[in-house]
Amino acid sequence: MASGSLLLRPLPHDHPPPVTSDLLAALRRIGFIGAGFGDPSEQRFFAGERFLQLITFLGCSPFVQLEPRGVGDLDFCHVRLRGPWPRARFLGGDNTTAPRCANCRSRIEDWRRIVDQWSQDPETLWQCPSCATRSMPDAWAWRQQAGFGRVMLQVPGIFPG
């Protein structure tokens, strides 16, 4: 996934995902998403008329590009429905920093390898070498850098932080 995305998880990762058509209808009803565009299988939508009232962007002078700059441009703020998937998936970017053990706060340097193992076997528990706590990757302190879900809303074109 590209580096500049906001990920929103509408439900805890262990809940069954909502019916896609119901979720999209609710997002349209509140004005979060507008018309769909591009390949329908990618489930991409322009920001809806109330998008900027539903999400607040802070900073000195936030700029949110809501329209593509040209044909095929996907580096603008829009909404993409990711999933639903039968079980939780990890979503993070190339710039995702190492998470920390939720118990002792030690950095987990080999997190990518562990997440790959977890993706193959979601029952895999990791044991912290510092405190011996056993946990799954979704319990680690990701510092809002990544997430796990069966369904997610990805908002590309958002500067990290």
Side-chain angles (χ1 to χ4, degrees), residues 143-160:
R143 296 180 26 187
Q144 301 177 348
Q145 293 271 322
F148 293 80
R150 292 178 64 184
V151 63
M152 289 193 183
L153 299 174
Q154 177 185 7
V155 183
I158 304 299
F159 184 75

Side-chain angles (χ1 to χ4, degrees), residues 30-79:
I30 64 171
F32 190 74
I33 63 171
F37 71 93
D39 182 345
S41 70
E42 291 187 350
Q43 301 183 94
R44 293 181 188 271
F45 304 88
F46 289 106
E49 69 275 2
R50 296 201 60 242
F51 180 84
L52 292 174
Q53 286 79 43
L54 295 168
I55 294 184
T56 301
F57 298 96
L58 301 175
C60 305
S61 180
F63 175 73
V64 181
Q65 176 74 35
L66 293 174
E67 299 290 329
R69 291 179 179 92
V71 176
D73 177 28
L74 294 176
D75 192 24
F76 70 98
C77 186
H78 62 281
V79 179

Side-chain angles (χ1 to χ4, degrees), residues 3-159:
S3 303
S5 288
L6 171 66
L7 294 173
L8 304 171
R9 184 181 69 200
L11 292 169
H13 74 276
D14 54 353
H15 279 64
V19 175
T20 302
S21 59
D22 293 346
L23 177 59
L24 293 175
L27 293 170
R28 278 192 188 91
R29 190 171 43 256
I30 64 171
F32 190 74
I33 63 171
F37 71 93
D39 182 345
S41 70
E42 291 187 350
Q43 301 183 94
R44 293 181 188 271
F45 304 88
F46 289 106
E49 69 275 2
R50 296 201 60 242
F51 180 84
L52 292 174
Q53 286 79 43
L54 295 168
I55 294 184
T56 301
F57 298 96
L58 301 175
C60 305
S61 180
F63 175 73
V64 181
Q65 176 74 35
L66 293 174
E67 299 290 329
R69 291 179 179 92
V71 176
D73 177 28
L74 294 176
D75 192 24
F76 70 98
C77 186
H78 62 281
V79 179
R80 182 175 182 196
L81 177 64
R82 304 293 302 264
W85 299 295
R87 61 183 177 88
R89 287 195 183 176
F90 170 79
L91 288 179
D94 295 336
N95 61 344
T96 299
T97 59
R100 295 185 178 272
C101 172
N103 186 54
C104 72
R105 311 297 294 161
S106 295
R107 287 177 59 89
I108 304 166
E109 298 297 341
D110 62 342
W111 67 269
R112 290 185 192 273
R113 179 187 60 77
I114 298 164
V115 168
D116 285 344
Q117 285 177 340
W118 174 86
S119 295
Q120 300 301 315
D121 179 9
E123 301 304 315
T124 300
L125 291 175
W126 168 80
Q127 184 167 340
C128 178
S130 297
C131 70
T133 297
R134 295 178 57 82
S135 62
M136 290 189 181
D138 63 329
W140 300 342
W142 287 96
R143 296 180 26 187
Q144 301 177 348
Q145 293 271 322
F148 293 80
R150 292 178 64 184
V151 63
M152 289 193 183
L153 299 174
Q154 177 185 7
V155 183
I158 304 299
F159 184 75

